[in-house]
Each structure stands twice: as structure tokens, then as C-alpha cells.
Amino acid sequence: KLVPLETRGGRDTFLALHPDFSRFVCSFGRQNAEDPTSPVVELGWGAEWFTNARYTGPTTFPHPPEWQAYVGHYCDMGPRIRSLRIVIRKGRLLMDGVTPLRAQGDVFVADSSEPTAEWLRFGERVNGCCMWLQASGRTNWRVTVP
């Protein structure tokens, strides 16, 4: 079955125009990240990661065990409902399956070359799951458990 793709953000980032795949964007990785004509060797979608026969990099990616408590779906129930999904893929903590997060003291910030004022702070844990997070000062409550 063919699913149309629509570009989103970067040259290798797409939204699949099908309800089964609308939660996250598809992020393709190339054999040589600097060469846009090199073959595609991997696909990331949320926490899912797939490779093809041309992929030659590592296949295991350790991450701090405490990050598992952060994985989940969080919503800000204010006047404009904002939804955030936190996943782990290839040993990286990602917001909405695409934005890598980097620990900076007791908060996480977007790990990018561009400066940002956005930050995340994870709250209390119950039964191994973080119950809320603050995103730049706004509280987002967990709505699902992984």
C-alpha cells in the first residue's frame, strides 16, 4: 500500500498522509548525512527505528535508565491544548519524535545549533512514570502510560 508523504521541516523529514502514521513525522537518515544524494539507510518514526541492508552504523544505543520514566504523552489543558510526546530513539530523548533534548542542569533543552528559550522539566514519578512536565513554564499532564 502506498502512502503519500508531505515535506515537514527538513529535507528528509515527512508527514505520512495516513491516519495510522499521523502521530509522528518520518525522519529518514542517509549513508552520508552531508550528502543529500547518498542512499537512505534508516527511518525514524517516534520511538521506532528501522534500517536497511546499507546501514553500517551501531545498532545499540545506551541511555540513562531514568529517562524511561519520561516517555509518554503529555497535554497542557489550557485554552490552547498543547500535546507533547516524549520518546527515546537511538539513545536520544526526543520531543515529538523529532527534537533531540539535552540535559542542562535539572532541565532539558532542544539540542540544536540554534539558541532557544524552550526548556522542559520533568515532575514527580508514580509507579515509575513521570506524571507531568513543565514546558517553558506551562504544566503538561501525562495522559497515557507507555
Side-chain angles (χ1 to χ4, degrees):
K1 181 175 182 177
L2 296 176
V3 175
L5 300 176
E6 187 176 277
T7 58
R8 282 285 194 264
R11 89 175 159 232
D12 289 325
T13 304
F14 300 88
L15 178 64
L17 301 178
H18 188 282
D20 290 346
F21 303 104
S22 63
R23 183 173 296 157
F24 300 105
V25 295
C26 298
S27 300
F28 292 91
R30 297 187 176 272
Q31 198 166 45
N32 177 352
E34 304 302 316
D35 179 3
T37 64
S38 73
V40 169
V41 296
E42 61 183 326
L43 165 67
W45 184 79
E48 302 292 327
W49 179 61
F50 307 94
T51 62
N52 63 26
R54 291 183 175 171
Y55 179 80
T56 59
T59 56
T60 58
F61 306 91
H63 63 274
E66 61 269 17
W67 286 4
Q68 205 59 49
Y70 305 152
V71 172
H73 182 196
Y74 301 84
C75 283
D76 169 359
M77 300 300 182
R80 290 180 32 214
I81 295 177
R82 180 178 180 194
S83 177
L84 296 173
R85 294 179 190 272
I86 303 297
V87 301
I88 298 170
R89 184 175 71 234
K90 291 179 66 177
R92 306 281 320 258
L93 196 62
L94 303 172
M95 182 172 59
D96 293 329
V98 70
T99 304
L101 299 172
R102 174 176 39 86
Q104 191 172 47
D106 66 341
V107 300
F108 286 84
V109 296
D111 190 7
S112 70
S113 57
E114 299 176 20
T116 179
E118 293 288 324
W119 54 268
L120 296 178
R121 177 178 289 126
F122 292 93
E124 289 87 18
R125 296 179 195 177
V126 175
N127 295 328
C129 293
C130 179
M131 292 290 98
W132 57 269
L133 66 78
Q134 284 186 322
S136 296
R138 296 195 61 146
T139 301
N140 293 259
W141 297 94
R142 176 183 287 278
V143 293
T144 62
V145 176

